[in-house]
Amino acid sequence: MKLAVMQPYLFPYIGYYQLAHYSDTFIFYDDVNYIKGGYINRNRIQTKNGPQLFAIPVIGASSFKKINELHFQKDIRKTLASISQAYSKAPYFSSAFPIIENILTTDNRNIANITSLSIIKVFEYLSLSFNYEFSSTINYIRTNNAQEKIYNLCEIHNAKKYINAIGGMQLYNKDEFKKRNIELGFIESSITNYPQINSSTFIGNLSMIDILMNCSKDEIINQLNNFKII
């Protein structure tokens, strides 16, 4: 069984979705500290003036609080207007924007809820299965250090393979995981250039919103499978 564990981000880049798609079980790591200035509450979209950050303000944002203890601001009209203005002429705007709008305006403003929905609802849109859990609902040893927590989560799920984002290569060692009888792999994302509504030169690593707006369902599914494990 392949396990992946990641903090929930708001419409992250496609590599996050590739990791989720490849895993047999994906855990939203929602009971760890919120990271201010990270990508939990923001990402980049492509506008006529180039890549631009969009963000949803977090009420009482604090790195001393858990992700699932914080909430997004309710008034996000400016955020929706920015996305709409950037992509109103995109080929799949009429199908993608209502999904984005419904997620961002949901009544439950908990960060873990909205960010995870930005992953879950994309897989529903693509009619792809997605098996997920929230770490806050799992009885694991929370007093352990970060790596021991991962070992514990793997043990609980009987996972013999743990997959991490490519950035994890700086944190985790394959030999250390092997000692626990766990195969460690890193997902190296690739992407096929696609026409972007606001750019003649392809710009990668944008929010999944850009792909949803510019690509068909079949094209997105093909992109989800465009990676390798190292």
Side-chain angles (χ1 to χ4, degrees):
M1 200 274 276
K2 303 185 297 292
L3 183 70
V5 182
M6 285 289 288
Q7 296 172 358
Y9 296 141
L10 188 65
F11 287 105
Y13 85 118
I14 194 170
Y16 189 112
Y17 294 83
Q18 290 172 329
L19 178 65
H21 182 51
Y22 180 66
S23 65
D24 294 315
T25 296
F26 185 88
I27 297 176
F28 290 111
Y29 213 5
D30 67 326
D31 59 346
V32 293
N33 286 2
Y34 176 77
I35 300 173
K36 295 178 68 175
Y39 280 81
I40 294 175
N41 71 316
R42 62 178 185 165
N43 216 292
R44 299 189 306 154
I45 55 174
Q46 178 67 8
T47 73
K48 63 181 180 180
N49 297 316
Q52 176 180 298
L53 277 173
F54 73 91
I56 301 182
V58 176
I59 300 170
S62 171
S63 57
F64 295 102
K65 289 188 176 181
K66 308 299 184 190
I67 295 171
N68 62 3
E69 293 175 337
L70 292 167
H71 294 78
F72 282 127
Q73 178 179 297
K74 189 170 184 179
D75 185 0
I76 59 160
R77 287 174 292 181
K78 288 184 178 179
T79 301
L80 289 174
S82 295
I83 296 171
S84 179
Q85 185 177 18
Y87 293 106
S88 61
K89 296 181 180 180
Y92 298 96
F93 176 82
S94 61
S95 56
F97 186 74
I99 298 169
I100 296 163
E101 184 177 32
N102 287 338
I103 292 169
L104 297 184
T105 60
T106 186
D107 289 337
N108 182 352
R109 306 305 296 166
N110 184 273
I111 288 180
N113 177 59
I114 291 178
T115 52
S116 64
L117 284 177
S118 77
I119 314 300
I120 297 164
K121 292 299 180 181
V122 168
F123 283 110
E124 290 183 5
Y125 169 68
L126 299 173
S127 299
L128 295 175
S129 61
F130 176 45
N131 185 32
Y132 63 91
E133 297 180 48
F134 291 87
S135 60
S136 56
T137 68
I138 301 171
N139 185 24
Y140 70 101
I141 304 173
R142 290 172 171 80
T143 54
N144 280 341
N145 63 38
Q147 188 157 313
E148 288 290 340
K149 288 178 182 178
I150 297 301
Y151 294 151
N152 191 204
L153 288 168
C154 286
E155 181 181 12
I156 289 169
H157 290 81
N158 195 29
K160 300 303 181 185
K161 191 167 187 177
Y162 178 70
I163 309 299
N164 199 254
I166 194 69
M169 292 185 72
Q170 300 175 359
L171 301 174
Y172 301 131
N173 181 283
K174 289 191 175 188
D175 289 336
E176 292 300 317
F177 273 75
K178 191 174 182 179
K179 292 176 184 177
R180 304 295 185 106
N181 296 314
I182 302 168
E183 180 184 353
L184 174 63
F186 301 96
I187 192 163
E188 185 175 63
S189 178
S190 184
I191 190 168
T192 302
N193 293 8
Y194 56 87
Q196 292 172 311
I197 190 68
N198 290 311
S199 180
S200 58
T201 303
F202 181 75
I203 298 173
N205 294 324
L206 297 174
S207 165
M208 188 66 169
I209 289 173
D210 192 75
I211 296 178
L212 291 170
M213 294 291 186
N214 288 297
C215 299
S216 69
K217 292 182 181 181
D218 286 343
E219 288 170 334
I220 297 172
I221 291 171
N222 286 337
Q223 296 280 21
L224 285 176
N225 292 304
N226 197 0
F227 64 86
K228 63 181 179 180
I229 302 298
I230 59 176

